Amino acid sequence: MQNQTLTIGSLQLTDPLILAPMAGITDLPYRLLHKRFGAALVTTEMISAKGWIQQGQKTLDLLKSRPEERPLAIQLFGEDPASLAEAAKLAVPYGELLDINMGCPVKKVVKGGAGSALLQDPGRIRNIIAAVRKATELPLTIKIRSGWDNASINFLEVGRIAEGEGADAITLHPRTRSQMFSGHSDWSHLAQLVKALKIPVIGSGDVFTAEDGMRMFAETGCAGIMIGRGGYGNPWLFRQLRQALSGQEPVATTLKERLQVALEHLQFSRQFLGERRAVLELRKHLCWYSRGLPGAGAFRASLQHLPDLSSLQQAITDYFASVEALENESEQAPR
Ligand SMILES: Cc1cc2nc3c(=O)[nH]c(=O)nc-3n(C[C@H](O)[C@H](O)[C@H](O)COP(=O)(O)O)c2cc1C
């Protein structure tokens, strides 16, 4: 039976279910919603260690938080051990766990030697973890991919380094940097890492349903799972995972709940992001909330022209009313 809790250093989580860090996605409104549906730990977007030290406004925006989302994991990226250690000290009042990004494949990040570029330099990984470990008592984790490319798969080596230098857990997204997001993540890498290490291994990759999540636990033995893209417009995935973990049948969401949550997302965005940014962010989230419903394509296209939050609110309310009417019609139609 899958363990129902997860302990990472001094942090005890109520469930082994974590919201993955996603740049451009896991802002405060998104995290608050996923927390409410059962994410035991939520994670910020990645934060530049150097940017933080220089007190950039962007960093301060990314660090906005609310008590109801805690515990919060702060994810840092960078390539310089001293800067990462300094940022780690700054992080103490902002979160309950510190994670270092060693998996980001994006050119802009990799070019500077950070993210998945670190996988090409295990010596640097060792220095980073040692420096950050010395700088903070916060629970410390790293998040990696399987390797840079197929010819240099080294997650076992990196995992052993992390454990040896005092990391409290490790998250593996078992794709290589070259793969970006193509194909499937290779969960057999997770199973190998679990066998090789004593610290908890968290699995990240291709969990889109509660069934996927239970399969990841069963096939890999991982101590926790992270949900990334599976949570897009689908925060109740966390509730379904909790139901599955406690032996219940996961319950599907309803049309009414979808609309209610979309409107709540809009409300949080209005409150925490300000009108202009909220409009830009919500266009994408409302598309996800409409996924799979009749007429979703036309609805999505219509969103791109709407200039403010009130019109987005009206559009999603009208659209869900039209879907509901369609559903009622088809229920009443003679068979
Ligand atoms: C849009 C997007 C942004 C991401 N940003 C980050 C990030 O900032 N830090 C990080 O460690 N991983 C990041 N990831 C990777 C995810 O955390 C996760 O490991 C990956 O998407 C695989 O999990 P999934 O299949 O559940 O999405 C990002 C992924 C996506 C799709």
Side-chain angles (χ1 to χ4, degrees):
M1 172 109 180
Q2 175 56 43
N3 217 334
Q4 302 272 345
T5 58
L6 171 60
T7 301
I8 304 176
S10 57
L11 181 65
Q12 290 191 351
L13 300 177
T14 51
D15 296 273
L17 306 172
I18 302 175
L19 178 65
M22 288 186 288
I25 308 282
T26 52
D27 56 13
L28 179 55
Y30 192 89
R31 297 196 306 264
L32 283 169
L33 276 178
H34 285 76
K35 178 80 194 187
R36 192 159 73 61
F37 278 99
L41 180 70
V42 295
T43 314
T44 62
E45 301 172 70
M46 62 178 175
I47 293 170
S48 156
K50 285 184 180 155
W52 197 345
I53 295 163
Q54 291 155 13
Q55 285 283 316
Q57 182 58 41
K58 183 155 177 245
T59 308
L60 299 177
D61 284 347
L62 293 173
L63 286 166
K64 273 189 198 154
S65 177
R66 297 281 300 177
E68 52 279 29
E69 69 166 331
R70 309 297 276 258
L72 175 66
I74 308 277
Q75 191 188 56
L76 295 177
F77 75 96
E79 79 300 344
D80 171 39
S83 311
L84 283 159
E86 201 175 332
K89 285 186 193 150
L90 296 174
V92 173
Y94 291 93
E96 284 65 41
L97 181 146
L98 196 69
D99 182 60
I100 304 174
N101 181 327
M102 300 188 177
C104 178
V106 173
K107 248 200 195 131
K108 205 170 78 181
V109 171
V110 167
K111 212 174 57 192
S116 58
L118 288 168
L119 298 174
Q120 296 175 299
D121 190 352
R124 184 175 284 269
I125 290 183
R126 185 186 299 281
N127 293 340
I128 287 174
I129 301 173
V132 175
R133 181 67 296 170
K134 221 165 131 192
T136 180
E137 287 180 3
L138 280 178
L140 174 62
T141 59
I142 65 168
K143 183 162 178 289
I144 63 170
R145 285 188 171 229
S146 295
W148 178 257
D149 60 19
N150 253 337
S152 57
I153 295 214
N154 60 352
F155 63 93
L156 287 174
E157 180 191 4
V158 173
R160 290 192 181 108
I161 290 173
E163 184 167 273
E165 296 301 330
D168 295 302
I170 179 166
T171 303
L172 172 61
H173 172 201
R175 282 187 173 88
T176 62
R177 190 271 173 174
S178 312
Q179 260 182 295
M180 301 299 277
F181 281 90
S182 66
H184 292 286
S185 55
D186 185 347
W187 292 359
S188 72
H189 292 175
L190 283 168
Q192 290 175 49
L193 194 60
V194 168
K195 282 215 178 80
L197 302 185
K198 291 192 189 68
I199 55 173
V201 172
I202 297 157
S204 170
D206 303 328
V207 173
F208 295 100
T209 63
E211 196 193 334
D212 293 338
M214 295 309 283
R215 210 163 36 79
M216 184 186 264
F217 279 126
E219 286 179 14
T220 70
C222 62
I225 59 175
M226 253 190 198
I227 306 298
R229 294 163 298 165
Y232 288 178
N234 189 28
W236 34 85
L237 177 54
F238 279 99
R239 184 175 62 200
Q240 292 164 338
L241 280 161
R242 283 172 73 168
Q243 288 163 337
L245 275 172
S246 58
Q248 297 165 320
E249 193 60 37
V251 178
T253 186
T254 60
L255 200 58
K256 195 169 156 213
E257 185 180 47
R258 270 209 217 196
L259 174 61
Q260 189 194 330
V261 171
L263 291 174
E264 197 179 346
H265 200 150
L266 192 139
Q267 218 36 55
F268 282 149
S269 302
R270 175 179 275 140
Q271 189 178 349
F272 299 116
L273 303 183
E275 175 89 15
R276 222 178 113 243
R277 232 192 98 207
V279 168
L280 293 176
E281 296 297 332
L282 274 164
R283 285 200 187 119
K284 124 187 122 196
H285 291 295
L286 296 185
C287 288
W288 288 327
Y289 285 114
S290 70
R291 217 165 25 186
L293 296 177
F299 167 68
R300 283 200 288 271
S302 75
L303 292 179
Q304 306 313 317
H305 307 291
L306 299 177
D308 53 36
L309 284 178
S310 314
S311 38
L312 284 174
Q313 184 169 343
Q314 194 60 53
I316 184 102
T317 307
D318 292 347
Y319 170 65
F320 271 77
S322 72
V323 175
E324 196 182 356
L326 262 179
E327 280 190 356
N328 290 340
E329 241 171 62
S330 67
E331 264 168 30
Q332 282 158 18
R335 284 158 209 260

